[in-house]
């Protein structure tokens, strides 16, 4: 039994090392950044807007265009820690960073995977991470509209409990993101290595043909 546990741990550890290599290799691919940059910026901005519940959206609606863009711009800057409390910024930054990595890796995996490869589970998990992150970010304040009435009816302490639920949801999002990141990192490693091997093989075959012609 001990040897079985050790074997599973070794397999998990090896899988993890390949995942890390896959992530590092993916960051060298331009397609990764096509997915990472817009996802990180948009998702970080959205989480900052939601961190105040619906107040930011109400303000944007009241200010109209183009004054409402300043609220969005300020939320975008907060993604990088500008005019943002460090603790609050760190959580949102990590969630935006993880979501950016997930989408970037997904783009690379789909781009280089063989046709017919099923990536639906990874897509679904990435979407679930995003939904949980949004709920966790907006829960303490927008709980008055979403969770607080329900929690108050059941437990009688909706506001305090909403903050606890927010933390639980946020950590669930982070854990699922890390799990999905490990899987996507491994898939990206396989896809990139396969692509590089095919490229090397094509180069060798081309050289062989050139030598035969000469």
């Amino acid at each position: 039994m001990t040897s079985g546990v050790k074997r599973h741990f070794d397999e998990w550890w090896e899988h993890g090392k390949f995942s890390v290599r896959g992530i590092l290799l993916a960051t060298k691919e331009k397609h990764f950044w096509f997915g990472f940059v817009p996802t990180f910026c948009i998702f970080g901005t959205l989480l900052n807007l939601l961190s105040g519940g619906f107040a930011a959206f109400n303000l944007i609606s009241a200010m109209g265009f183009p004054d409402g863009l300043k609220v969005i711009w300020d939320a975008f800057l907060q993604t990088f820690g500008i005019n943002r409390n460090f603790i609050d910024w760190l959580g949102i930054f990590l969630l935006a960073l993880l979501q950016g990595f997930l989408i970037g890796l997904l783009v690379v995996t789909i781009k280089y995977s063989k046709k017919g490869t099923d990536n639906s589970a990874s897509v679904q998990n990435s979407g679930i991470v995003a939904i949980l992150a949004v709920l966790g970010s907006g829960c303490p304040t927008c709980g008055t509209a979403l969770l607080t009435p329900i929690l108050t009816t059941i437990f009688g302490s909706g506001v305090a409990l909403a903050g606890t639920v927010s933390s639980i949801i946020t950590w669930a999002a982070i854990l699922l993101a890390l799990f999905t990141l490990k899987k996507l990192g491994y898939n990206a490693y396989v896809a990139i290595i396969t692509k590089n091997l095919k490229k090397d093989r094509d180069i060798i075959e081309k050289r062989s043909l050139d030598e035969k012609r000469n």
Side-chain angles (χ1 to χ4, degrees):
M1 183 175 179
T2 303
S3 59
V5 172
K6 185 178 182 302
R7 185 177 69 256
H8 285 300
F9 176 79
D10 290 340
E11 290 176 356
W12 178 87
W13 182 254
E14 287 297 318
H15 192 282
K17 288 195 293 185
F18 284 120
S19 296
V20 173
R21 292 178 188 174
I23 293 171
L24 294 176
L25 287 173
T27 58
K28 299 178 182 179
E29 302 286 337
K30 64 180 180 180
H31 298 93
F32 171 84
W33 298 105
F34 289 157
F36 175 86
V37 173
T39 300
F40 174 78
C41 293
I42 295 172
F43 197 66
T45 302
L46 178 61
L47 290 181
N48 278 304
L49 289 172
L50 281 171
S51 64
F54 295 120
F57 294 98
N58 292 334
L59 184 60
I60 292 171
S61 178
M63 294 176 69
F65 182 85
D67 294 334
L69 292 177
K70 186 179 184 305
V71 179
I72 299 175
W73 176 250
D74 289 341
F76 171 75
L77 293 179
Q78 287 173 1
T79 305
F80 302 94
I82 300 174
N83 298 325
R84 188 76 162 136
N85 176 278
F86 177 76
I87 298 299
D88 294 336
W89 165 79
L90 185 61
I92 288 177
F93 177 79
L94 288 176
L95 283 171
L97 192 68
L98 285 170
Q99 189 65 28
F101 265 97
L102 290 179
I103 299 302
L105 287 171
L106 195 58
V107 170
V108 171
T109 303
I110 293 174
K111 174 66 179 178
Y112 295 129
S113 291
K114 294 180 179 179
K115 292 183 179 180
T117 302
D118 185 12
N119 292 296
S120 58
S122 297
V123 174
Q124 183 179 9
N125 285 345
S126 298
I128 293 173
V129 170
I131 292 170
L132 289 176
V134 166
L135 286 176
S137 175
C139 177
T141 46
C142 70
T144 54
L146 296 176
L147 294 177
T148 301
I150 301 173
L151 297 174
T152 302
T153 301
I154 299 175
F155 299 102
S157 181
V159 176
L161 197 57
T164 303
V165 172
S166 170
S167 298
I168 294 173
I169 293 175
T170 299
W171 277 108
I174 291 174
L175 291 175
L176 180 58
L178 291 173
F179 171 79
T180 309
L181 188 68
K182 178 175 176 289
K183 184 175 181 180
L184 277 173
Y186 181 82
N187 291 345
Y189 175 81
V190 173
I192 293 172
I193 291 298
T194 302
K195 181 217 38 167
N196 290 340
L197 288 175
K198 184 179 182 302
K199 184 178 179 181
D200 292 340
R201 186 183 62 190
D202 291 342
I203 292 173
I204 292 172
E205 289 178 353
K206 186 177 182 302
R207 286 178 179 175
S208 298
L209 288 173
D210 290 341
E211 289 175 358
K212 289 179 180 179
R213 289 172 184 172
N214 296 330

